[in-house]
Amino acid sequence: MAVSLSASKSIAYITTCSNSTTDPLPSSSLFKSLKLPRFWPWQKVKMGPLTVSPMGFGTWAWGNQLLWGYQDSMDSELQRTFNLAVENGINLFDTADSYGTGKLNGQSEKLLGQFIREFPGDKQVKNDIVIATKFAAYPWRLTPGQFVNACKSSLERMQLEQIGIGQLHWSTANYAPLQERALWDGLVAMYEKGLVRAVGVSNYGPKQLLKIHKYLDDRGVPLRSAQVQFSLLSMGSDQMEIKNICDSLGIRVIAYSPLGLGMLTGKYTPSNLPPGPRGLLFRQILPGLEPLLTSLREIARRRRKTIPQVAINWCICKGTIPIPGVKSVKQAEENLGALGWQLTSDEFLQLENAALDSPQKMIQNVFQTK
């Protein structure tokens, strides 16, 4: 069920995962002194010059026929999905210039730009929307200028004057280290030219994250976000180290695949798999997730939530900004239900222990560096 904005002025509920569901609200002095996770969409999160909702929505499926079965006929539903999200306080949308298969390459950006222009609501609400797009480290993007041109192409597709967060989609350090410096200089250039309001990275491991942070900082460019695969299925030492580094440097972690590509929705079983490549992955991992899925079901039943809502709420409790993918109004409504409440500390620990007890984990993105 979608979260209503009507209560936004009367309810202020910012707290970490509490010991009980009825803990009193913290005092006003505590609000000022602590940087706590947000659990309502109107309680925005600061990201440098940007102010974003505590959860965003990902748009990988918008234009992707291979993995997500996109068809042009879905566009009207995607528009309604976008409108519902914005009307309920979501203002962060993540995309990429590579989202869309074949001739539909860049389709996700095109649709987002169209949906923003056609949004029927308040003009200020429209102006507050933050687009975070990622620029692919294609092998033919060898110079800073070519990377800046990639940013300009994204702006043209979306028909925007400025992008909220310009992100390097992945590092080339593992296979083309000489290209990496040119891409970093491209980020610097697009920031200095005012094409993006903030700069971020995606799929950077701990070591490479520290390197690019120093490189950008030496040139007066703040690194504002680091997007990584982060969920109850992705609790490896690298992911936790990335989170700790980001916390120490003031970088926001954007958690993609918070539902493990759908494995944490409760919809699938070893005998009921999704079609296409996802089904092959699920067949390997799902049989080893029963301890975690059992805990998710127990908490969801007790709290009168759904399994995805519990899994996403855990990501917020960890201090990240999750960006679950959406391609229907129903999915958006369900994901919005991850806000407006919080796991207790006991529930939080139960989930983490169950995740550790589950013999299978999510396969790490091959593009993530060390």
Side-chain angles (χ1 to χ4, degrees):
M1 183 174 181
V3 179
S4 170
L5 287 178
S6 61
S8 62
K9 295 183 180 179
S10 60
I11 300 176
Y13 193 31
I14 308 176
T15 163
T16 53
C17 299
S18 63
N19 289 319
S20 84
T21 55
T22 57
D23 282 353
L25 292 175
S27 66
S28 59
S29 61
L30 193 60
F31 275 111
K32 296 175 182 176
S33 63
L34 295 180
K35 294 181 179 179
L36 302 172
R38 269 67 169 167
F39 289 89
W40 293 95
W42 50 83
Q43 291 175 328
K44 304 301 184 188
V45 176
K46 288 296 291 180
M47 192 184 295
L50 305 171
T51 304
V52 302
S53 45
M55 175 180 70
F57 281 159
T59 63
W60 181 18
W62 300 12
N64 190 303
Q65 296 174 318
L66 178 64
L67 280 177
W68 303 106
Y70 168 81
Q71 300 294 332
D72 290 345
S73 57
M74 297 177 177
D75 289 355
S76 58
E77 175 75 358
L78 292 176
Q79 172 84 72
R80 290 190 293 272
T81 302
F82 174 86
N83 291 348
L84 175 74
V86 176
E87 289 163 359
N88 281 274
I90 302 299
N91 77 328
L92 175 64
F93 294 87
D94 181 77
T95 183
D97 64 359
S98 61
Y99 283 0
T101 48
K103 65 181 181 180
L104 294 173
N105 197 52
Q107 181 73 356
S108 174
E109 288 186 333
K110 290 177 184 176
L111 288 173
L112 267 176
Q114 174 188 330
F115 296 164
I116 292 171
R117 292 190 301 275
E118 296 177 359
F119 179 69
D122 183 82
K123 184 177 181 181
Q124 186 56 52
V125 172
K126 182 188 297 189
N127 292 340
D128 288 341
I129 293 170
V130 175
I131 300 300
T133 196
K134 299 180 290 294
F135 310 114
Y138 291 135
W140 54 86
R141 290 177 177 170
L142 296 172
T143 68
Q146 288 172 322
F147 213 48
V148 168
N149 287 339
C151 179
K152 290 179 178 178
S153 295
S154 289
L155 285 166
E156 185 176 345
R157 274 189 292 274
M158 293 186 281
Q159 297 185 34
L160 296 176
E161 295 181 0
Q162 193 177 44
I163 288 166
I165 312 170
Q167 306 162 97
L168 175 52
H169 203 156
W170 65 83
S171 168
T172 64
N174 288 345
Y175 61 92
L178 296 179
Q179 183 186 7
E180 183 96 336
R181 185 62 57 88
L183 300 176
W184 292 2
D185 287 337
L187 285 177
V188 172
M190 63 180 71
Y191 179 80
E192 291 178 341
K193 292 175 181 292
L195 301 178
V196 300
R197 295 186 65 192
V199 162
V201 293
S202 178
N203 296 310
Y204 266 63
K207 293 180 181 178
Q208 217 47 24
L209 181 60
L210 287 169
K211 288 180 183 178
I212 190 172
H213 175 269
K214 184 179 187 306
Y215 188 86
L216 295 177
D217 189 59
D218 287 347
R219 287 153 182 78
V221 179
L223 181 62
R224 299 299 188 186
S225 67
Q227 187 174 149
V228 293
Q229 183 174 274
F230 197 96
S231 74
L232 283 160
L233 292 183
S234 304
M235 289 176 55
S237 58
D238 276 0
Q239 305 311 87
M240 295 303 110
E241 187 178 355
I242 291 167
K243 179 64 172 61
N244 291 337
I245 289 171
C246 287
D247 289 347
S248 68
L249 296 176
I251 302 168
R252 287 287 180 186
V253 172
I254 299 176
Y256 74 77
S257 294
L259 298 176
L261 298 178
M263 278 182 277
L264 296 182
T265 62
K267 289 170 53 179
Y268 302 105
T269 67
S271 59
N272 177 34
L273 300 169
R278 281 197 304 152
L280 299 175
L281 179 66
F282 283 31
R283 182 175 285 111
Q284 299 176 48
I285 299 177
L286 270 177
L289 297 185
E290 197 49 42
L292 176 56
L293 290 172
T294 296
S295 286
L296 284 166
R297 290 189 200 100
E298 288 175 358
I299 294 171
R301 183 168 57 250
R302 186 164 63 242
R303 300 300 296 270
R304 298 183 180 180
K305 301 296 178 182
T306 67
I307 290 175
Q309 289 166 356
V310 174
I312 294 170
N313 194 276
W314 175 87
C315 288
I316 302 174
C317 278
K318 291 293 281 188
T320 73
I321 302 173
I323 49 169
V326 289
K327 55 179 183 175
S328 70
V329 167
K330 183 179 179 181
Q331 284 181 338
E333 288 176 338
E334 181 169 26
N335 290 343
L336 284 165
L339 299 171
W341 65 285
Q342 63 197 33
L343 293 164
T344 67
S345 57
D346 288 343
E347 291 167 340
F348 180 81
L349 291 174
Q350 178 185 345
L351 288 173
E352 296 211 340
N353 289 333
L356 293 173
D357 288 342
S358 295
Q360 289 288 358
K361 304 290 185 289
M362 187 69 173
I363 296 172
Q364 186 54 60
N365 193 317
V366 295
F367 284 107
Q368 182 168 308
T369 57
K370 295 294 185 182

